[in-house]
Amino acid sequence: MSRPRDGHTRWVWGSATTVLLLVVVVAYGFWPRPGQVRAEAAHPVSAPTAADGRAAVLSAARREIAELSGNAGADRSRRLDDSTGALHEAVAREGAVPGGGVTAVPGTVTAVATTALDADAGTADLIATVQSPSAGEQRLAATMALVGGSWKLSALRAVPVGADPVAVPAGAGVTADVGGALARILSYSPSTAAATAQAANQVLAGAAATQYRQLLGAITAQVRQQGLSVDSRVVRIGVEQQTTADRAQLLVFLDQTARRNGGARTRVGAQLSVTAQLSGGHWRIVALASI
């Protein structure tokens, strides 16, 4: 069990302070963590050119975010080399990553994804998670620019619980389908149980569908008794990798607001790794794990 932290409260299954339905699932591993569902997620094929371009951006982002946000002892010259624009100027002036809610402590970049990528214009927007022993897990948003053939960070900021969500256009393909699906199946109340279950049948497949049905069967009665309602919204969503035209892995920042028996509302955040498969013109979630 984890001790609650501001913005990233962990809920204890079966205790007097529970049960936030799928917040519990995310926080305590009722969905497996990445690496536990390899049979469903594996799809070894040649990556298309677009994926190669994304991989180059993500590789640079992972290294540079670690340098500027997580490595307090990083050489100043490396920080300058990894940044451009206003961020570069701030690093030159202050010697460390400036403000933006980012806690600059040693840590590990656990996931990175693109939310927008324009290779022709040389711009990219990204999200990332950074884990550190002292600061816990940070949700970050970054902007990169292609300078002299190299991708460099031009902005880095925190994405706290309660941050305004970035709208995803309805025609945005996998991010629109997956974001909409998560909001439907991870929102719940006793009066909407049937509709939630029906939505899950439409947007889930494979291991994700099996685990979701098992979860609902295990806790539906308890949720009704406690009068629990959970509202979920996707704050940020991006593509980690797309190995084929019909299969993708995504990183999602999710905020959930819960209320029990008409009491006070509690808001918590979660980070998810999602694998989606294109089927019948729509993306369906086939694997879902907490980060």
Side-chain angles (χ1 to χ4, degrees):
M1 297 183 295
S2 302
R3 186 170 59 186
R5 304 192 306 271
D6 291 345
H8 294 283
T9 305
R10 301 303 190 184
W11 298 91
V12 184
W13 176 257
S15 77
T17 58
T18 50
V19 168
L20 295 194
L21 186 59
L22 295 165
V23 179
V24 179
V25 178
V26 169
Y28 272 94
F30 286 88
W31 294 114
R33 293 185 179 277
Q36 289 181 282
V37 189
R38 290 302 180 201
E40 187 64 44
H43 201 73
V45 294
S46 298
T49 302
D52 292 340
R54 180 179 292 110
V57 175
L58 295 177
S59 177
R62 183 178 292 271
R63 176 180 57 80
E64 294 171 10
I65 290 172
E67 288 286 346
L68 279 111
S69 74
N71 191 349
D75 183 271
R76 183 170 180 170
S77 64
R78 291 210 305 267
R79 291 179 182 241
L80 289 170
D81 287 343
D82 290 340
S83 57
T84 189
L87 182 60
H88 179 86
E89 294 173 5
V91 171
R93 183 173 60 250
E94 303 174 23
V97 64
V102 180
T103 302
V105 294
T108 301
V109 178
T110 52
V112 186
T114 57
T115 59
L117 173 60
D118 188 334
D120 292 334
T123 60
D125 294 325
L126 306 96
I127 54 176
T129 54
V130 176
Q131 180 71 41
S132 68
S134 58
E137 193 161 53
Q138 297 189 75
R139 308 193 305 190
L140 304 180
T143 303
M144 301 189 78
L146 190 61
V147 180
S150 298
W151 287 98
K152 298 179 182 290
L153 284 172
S154 57
L156 187 64
R157 56 203 174 277
V159 183
V161 173
D164 291 334
V166 173
V168 178
V174 62
T175 53
D177 285 359
V178 170
L182 290 173
R184 293 170 66 191
I185 66 170
L186 300 186
S187 296
Y188 188 91
S189 71
S191 63
T192 61
T196 301
Q198 183 177 5
N201 290 334
Q202 297 170 352
V203 302
L204 298 177
T210 300
Q211 290 161 349
Y212 191 91
R213 285 193 295 268
Q214 292 172 345
L215 168 74
L216 288 185
I219 67 175
T220 295
Q222 190 174 4
V223 168
R224 289 186 181 278
Q225 291 169 4
Q226 296 188 11
L228 176 69
S229 62
V230 177
D231 180 66
S232 297
R233 66 173 186 170
V234 172
V235 180
R236 301 286 191 280
I237 182 169
V239 178
E240 292 187 79
Q241 60 178 325
Q242 186 165 351
T243 52
T244 67
D246 64 354
R247 197 169 183 91
Q249 185 172 335
L250 300 95
L251 173 62
V252 181
F253 293 170
L254 186 78
D255 282 1
Q256 295 183 301
T257 302
R259 191 179 189 187
R260 188 176 61 178
N261 290 327
R265 290 180 172 84
T266 302
R267 185 162 55 190
V268 298
Q271 294 71 246
L272 307 177
S273 176
V274 179
T275 303
Q277 180 80 43
L278 185 63
S279 176
H282 297 282
W283 289 90
R284 304 182 71 185
I285 297 169
V286 296
L288 177 62
S290 60
I291 296 176

